[in-house]
Amino acid sequence: MATAIWRNASRLRSFNRCLYARSLSQFRSSIPSSTTTPPSLCPPSLPSFPPVIPVGAEFKSLGIYGRFLSNSTATPTENQEKPSSSSKTNSEETQNTGGSQQSSGSEGKPVRGGPVSWLSFLLLLATGIGIIFYYDNLKRRHIEEISNASKAVKEGPSAGKAAIGGPFSLVNHDGKRVTEKDFKGKWTLVYFGFTHCPDICPDELLKLAAAIDKIKEKAGIDIVPVFISVDPERDTIEQVREYVKEFHPKLVGLTGTPDEIKKVARAYRVYYMKTAEEDSDYLVDHSIVMYLMDPNMEFVKFFGKNNDVNSLTDGVIKEISQRKK
């Protein structure tokens, strides 16, 4: 690019010299001379060119073309400097703009990180913990309200005593005839079963024996445990004697005739029935209930198979304590 500009400037200067010589010759020819110059002394004439500068423009036209040439020679340099300066200015403006954008961006906008920041994670964690504690407290409060409401419920007036219990006459494991009157003055737990029972009766009698010992230990109350057979055909006096010894020394075993057993079972609302017989071996289906009787041999409360030793112990102590008040 610089070489081309330099060539153009050289051509313009050469053209200017020729033009200047032509104009000078015309100017001289217009002035009358007193002497004639010999042809031998005249320099060879330059080739004729068509006049570029109008005749009469004289030195004024020359001055204009001189300025044109000076401007044309100075223009490439200035043009070269201007793009560089403009490029510098543009680069500086770009840098300033970029810097201002970066600074404004850094000042006005947060730096984006990952999809989940630590702050949002901590807020989410705190919210989850708060929800868990809220519902836990709500559940606990609800349970407490239900418990308080159940405790606040008072027993209504009794419509009458349950028709459980009554007079009976049976034989104990020592062969002595006894009635309900022989047990008056004592708290009694009565259980109906049979000595050939494979599992339920032994479990219930073991629970009964353990409960009366705990009741004596915790409350100092003596309870008389009573076992009444619902299988009079097989449960003889000797059979009952050997059976009750296996559970507790205070356990009283009672048996009798089929009619006597039927009468006492009806008085205590006890269900019992033989199953299908196979030779002489059979089972007896019966109610699994313990009856708490007060010192007057009147019914107080019954306890089912779902009561364990502790609940049976606490239930008996509670009932006796309420009756003594």
Side-chain angles (χ1 to χ4, degrees):
M1 182 67 181
T3 306
I5 295 173
W6 182 80
R7 289 177 181 175
N8 291 331
S10 299
R11 289 175 183 174
L12 288 174
R13 281 195 294 271
S14 299
F15 177 76
N16 188 23
R17 291 192 192 98
C18 294
L19 184 61
Y20 180 78
R22 178 68 176 175
S23 300
L24 184 59
S25 62
Q26 289 180 1
F27 176 76
R28 286 178 179 176
S29 62
S30 64
I31 300 174
S33 59
S34 56
T35 60
T36 302
T37 305
S40 59
L41 298 176
C42 293
S45 61
L46 297 170
S48 63
F49 294 96
V52 178
I53 301 176
V55 179
E58 300 177 348
F59 291 103
K60 185 176 180 180
S61 297
L62 292 174
I64 292 172
Y65 275 83
R67 286 195 301 272
F68 170 75
L69 291 174
S70 63
N71 290 334
S72 63
T73 56
T75 301
T77 306
E78 293 175 358
N79 291 333
Q80 290 178 359
E81 293 175 357
K82 286 181 179 179
S84 62
S85 62
S86 64
S87 63
K88 291 180 181 179
T89 305
N90 291 333
S91 62
E92 291 175 357
E93 290 177 355
T94 303
Q95 292 177 358
N96 294 331
T97 305
S100 63
Q101 290 178 356
Q102 291 178 358
S103 61
S104 63
S106 62
E107 293 175 359
K109 297 180 180 179
V111 178
R112 291 189 61 185
V116 179
S117 64
W118 281 107
L119 180 60
S120 61
F121 175 75
L122 292 176
L123 289 175
L124 181 63
L125 183 63
T127 303
I129 294 173
I131 292 173
I132 292 173
F133 274 106
Y134 172 76
Y135 281 105
D136 186 60
N137 291 331
L138 187 64
K139 181 180 178 181
R140 188 182 296 108
R141 237 184 350 255
H142 183 64
I143 293 173
E144 289 177 357
E145 289 176 358
I146 293 175
S147 178
N148 293 333
S150 63
K151 290 179 180 179
V153 175
K154 296 181 179 179
E155 294 183 359
S158 176
K161 293 183 178 181
I164 297 176
F168 62 84
S169 178
L170 299 171
V171 179
N172 64 13
H173 61 269
D174 291 329
K176 181 182 178 181
R177 175 68 58 172
V178 295
T179 64
E180 77 283 354
K181 297 179 181 179
D182 294 321
F183 297 97
K184 286 186 176 182
K186 303 173 184 177
W187 289 90
T188 309
L189 272 173
V190 181
Y191 176 76
F192 288 80
F194 63 105
T195 61
H196 289 78
C197 181
D199 49 10
I200 295 177
C201 292
D203 292 340
E204 293 298 299
L205 290 175
L206 287 173
K207 180 171 69 177
L208 175 59
I212 63 174
D213 288 338
K214 292 190 72 173
I215 293 170
K216 176 65 175 179
E217 179 182 354
K218 293 179 68 173
I221 302 172
D222 289 322
I223 304 293
V224 178
V226 177
F227 169 76
I228 300 178
S229 173
V230 292
D231 186 13
E233 287 84 0
R234 292 183 297 184
D235 288 345
T236 62
I237 297 174
E238 294 77 11
Q239 181 71 25
V240 172
R241 182 187 306 118
E242 297 298 325
Y243 187 71
V244 297
K245 288 180 180 179
E246 298 177 1
F247 299 101
H248 199 279
K250 291 183 178 181
L251 180 60
V252 178
L254 300 178
T255 188
T257 64
D259 290 338
E260 292 172 343
I261 297 300
K262 185 183 294 184
K263 184 178 179 181
V264 69
R266 185 179 298 170
Y268 281 83
R269 303 295 187 267
V270 173
Y271 161 81
Y272 72 100
M273 184 181 65
K274 290 182 181 181
T275 61
E277 296 186 11
E278 293 181 3
D279 298 332
S280 61
D281 191 12
Y282 60 88
L283 297 177
V284 179
D285 188 15
H286 61 90
S287 302
I288 307 171
V289 180
M290 295 182 190
Y291 299 95
L292 177 62
M293 310 299 289
D294 66 7
N296 295 321
M297 284 301 288
E298 295 180 353
F299 172 76
V300 177
K301 187 175 181 179
F302 70 88
F303 299 91
K305 188 176 183 296
N306 59 327
N307 292 103
D308 58 8
V309 175
N310 293 327
S311 62
L312 177 60
T313 301
D314 296 337
V316 170
I317 293 175
K318 179 180 177 181
E319 294 296 331
I320 294 175
S321 300
Q322 290 178 352
R323 298 282 174 153
K324 286 183 176 182
K325 290 181 180 180

